[in-house]
Amino acid sequence: MYQTVIRDPGGSSLIRIQSLECGANQTVVNGSILIVPPGTVAYVAINGQLSQPYHSGQYELFTGVDPFFVRLRHIMTRGDAGVTVSVFFISTGKRKLMTMGTGEFPFKEKRFQITMKALASCNIAYSIANPFKVLTKMVGSYNGEFTGDEIEPYIEQMALSPVREALSRELGRLSVTEFNSHLTSIGNAALSSINTSFEQYGLKLAQFNLTAINI
């Protein structure tokens, strides 16, 4: 059984996943090589446990599977490699622009003090401030079906709650007729609160633009 060479799969996402097959015919053994490109930090998840960060460079991995005993192990475990390995490559110096709709959220109308519902559209630019914190949340919900294409929708779902809460609070300060003529000021007022929540997820909010509000 030969050692595996693991490289960043590339792409525009800030977080890329390299899920490595571990089964009857292949597994990731001790001595496998991890190559991390510049501007990137990598974490290896072995059986759901995150490694130390690997910064730009080349590294040998220890997965707990000795290459000399792989076949014997497969025979004894009936093809179960006994290990799952995924590598997360994270761009730490880049921003990502996300356009999203909030879905319905409630707010208390200022003039009549009645509860109403609104929908909003916004543009969010964010970066990864604390890769380990982001991955700690992600790996908790990670499974074999999770792919790189699902990362941005996952982050969007994380962002929805603080965006809705901040906008609900700010809409309660204005009358309904003022909303769409004050989009910039509402967005600016909500930005600080949203960024505080993002920091708890390990993200940094670089930009928040509110583009529309519908009642």
Side-chain angles (χ1 to χ4, degrees):
M1 180 64 65
Y2 298 102
Q3 285 85 353
T4 303
V5 178
I6 307 165
R7 294 183 172 87
D8 187 341
S12 61
S13 178
L14 296 186
I15 304 175
R16 285 86 61 197
I17 302 175
Q18 191 73 287
S19 295
L20 301 162
E21 182 181 348
C22 296
N25 299 316
Q26 183 178 357
T27 192
V28 183
V29 300
N30 297 342
S32 291
I33 303 299
L34 172 65
I35 300 174
V36 185
T40 303
V41 61
Y43 287 82
V44 181
I46 301 175
N47 291 341
Q49 298 296 313
L50 286 172
S51 70
Q52 63 180 351
Y54 292 93
H55 298 279
S56 178
Q58 180 172 308
Y59 306 89
E60 282 193 11
L61 298 181
F62 178 81
T63 65
V65 180
D66 192 309
F68 297 105
F69 297 103
V70 168
R71 291 184 179 178
L72 176 61
R73 183 169 184 165
H74 282 323
I75 292 171
M76 296 183 67
T77 60
R78 297 183 180 180
D80 183 357
V83 62
T84 61
V85 180
S86 296
V87 182
F88 298 85
F89 293 91
I90 303 172
S91 296
T92 54
K94 295 182 179 179
R95 293 181 180 180
K96 187 72 177 180
L97 180 64
M98 176 170 60
T99 299
M100 59 182 275
T102 61
E104 285 189 353
F105 61 89
F107 70 96
K108 182 165 287 189
E109 197 274 337
K110 177 183 178 182
R111 183 177 179 185
F112 298 105
Q113 291 296 297
I114 60 174
T115 300
M116 303 181 70
K117 291 183 179 179
L119 300 121
S121 300
C122 56
N123 297 321
I124 297 175
Y126 68 94
S127 59
I128 306 294
N130 188 324
F132 185 78
K133 189 177 288 188
V134 174
L135 292 184
T136 298
K137 290 185 174 294
M138 285 184 57
V139 171
S141 60
Y142 181 82
N143 58 64
E145 303 299 322
F146 200 87
T147 66
D149 293 337
E150 296 174 295
I151 289 186
E152 289 180 22
Y154 180 90
I155 292 177
E156 181 174 326
Q157 287 301 310
M158 284 201 304
L160 274 176
S161 180
V163 168
R164 287 172 176 165
E165 290 177 7
L167 290 180
S168 176
R169 183 168 53 252
E170 296 307 321
L171 294 189
R173 306 179 196 275
L174 301 170
S175 65
V176 172
T177 56
E178 297 176 290
F179 289 169
N180 281 294
S181 60
H182 290 76
L183 292 176
T184 299
S185 59
I186 294 171
N188 289 341
L191 192 148
S192 177
S193 173
I194 297 171
N195 190 45
T196 298
S197 297
F198 270 42
E199 288 175 349
Q200 295 174 2
Y201 302 147
L203 304 173
K204 179 177 177 59
L205 182 63
Q207 180 182 337
F208 178 76
N209 293 328
L210 188 61
T211 57
I213 297 174
N214 295 305
I215 306 304

